[in-house]
Amino acid sequence: LSGIYALLFAAGACVLEGVVARKRALYSAKSPRRPILWRSQRAVIAWIVVIGIIGSPIVLPVLPANALAKSSFLSSTGHLGSDVGWLGLVATVAHVYQSIPASERPTVAIVASDYAEAGAIALYGPRFGLPQAHSGQNNAWYWGRPSPALGTTIFVGYSPSNLPTRGFQSVRQVATIHNAPGVHNDEEGEPVWLATGQTVPWPVLWPSFRYDA
């Protein structure tokens, strides 16, 4: 629903402008010395600017990642630190990918537990020579399943409790995701798994990977 907020802000600004105009007219009629808050629209704008400056570290990426790591409040506020460590995440996945024999890499699939991890690999993966990443979360599921019917799969970010082991003879953890600043976002500490010996093709497996969160 965040896309509608801009319209609500605009509507609220119109209401605020009307309130300011009425207050100015009221105080002008009663007293030539009006309270400073309603003295002019400039005063209201000044208040908005001050509040915006004070609140900007909470909603905008204006602070370094180290500051987010030191403040549990900032690091847990919305998605402010959600993309911290994306390059390291992709480098970790690339290290696992490169550990697979070159002859098997054309049939390697990468499946992420959420669209953020898949987005990180989509953004930085080409510089590491990674194949396209897939995810079953929300609309990412509709973007398609892995193209090789059978092969090795790198699972990114799945916890042991929701790790999809069906259709693979072996699934083992081979890495853990960490970001250098130590920001406690959704990807920090997530495992990376290597699944081999696929016995069920992706056209059959993919419907079970869909979930909304």
Side-chain angles (χ1 to χ4, degrees):
L1 297 178
S2 59
I4 202 68
Y5 287 173
L7 297 179
L8 298 179
F9 290 151
C14 292
V15 174
L16 180 61
E17 184 180 25
V19 171
V20 172
R22 289 193 296 272
K23 290 290 184 179
R24 292 181 65 188
L26 177 63
Y27 284 119
S28 296
K30 290 185 176 181
S31 173
R33 300 186 62 183
R34 303 184 297 274
I36 189 171
L37 180 60
W38 305 108
R39 188 168 297 171
S40 69
Q41 291 178 334
R42 295 190 186 94
V44 176
I45 294 173
W47 277 106
I48 294 174
V49 171
V50 170
I51 294 172
I53 292 174
I54 295 174
S56 61
I58 301 176
V59 296
L60 296 174
V62 296
L63 296 177
N66 290 334
L68 297 180
K70 294 177 182 178
S71 172
S72 59
F73 171 75
L74 290 177
S75 63
S76 62
T77 301
H79 297 286
L80 194 59
S82 60
D83 60 350
V84 172
W86 272 19
L87 187 59
L89 180 155
V90 179
T92 300
V93 175
H95 179 74
V96 175
Y97 177 76
Q98 292 162 3
S99 70
I100 300 171
S103 59
E104 299 178 13
R105 292 176 195 168
T107 59
V108 170
I110 300 177
V111 179
S113 64
D114 64 50
Y115 58 81
E117 294 156 350
I121 296 171
L123 181 62
Y124 295 113
R127 73 172 66 178
F128 293 96
L130 292 178
Q132 179 185 356
H134 303 268
S135 176
Q137 186 185 25
N138 299 346
N139 277 11
W141 183 86
Y142 293 101
W143 298 343
R145 56 175 171 79
S147 54
L150 296 171
T152 298
T153 299
I154 300 173
F155 288 114
V156 182
Y158 284 91
S159 64
S161 60
N162 64 6
L163 180 65
T165 57
R166 176 195 167 211
F168 297 91
Q169 295 177 351
S170 173
V171 181
R172 57 190 176 89
Q173 183 176 350
V174 292
T176 303
I177 298 169
H178 292 294
N179 61 74
V183 175
H184 299 287
N185 55 21
D186 291 341
E187 283 70 48
E188 172 63 17
E190 291 293 297
V192 179
W193 309 83
L194 189 64
T196 57
Q198 186 173 0
T199 57
V200 180
W202 277 112
V204 177
L205 287 177
W206 193 240
S208 64
F209 276 73
R210 180 185 175 187
Y211 77 99
D212 296 321

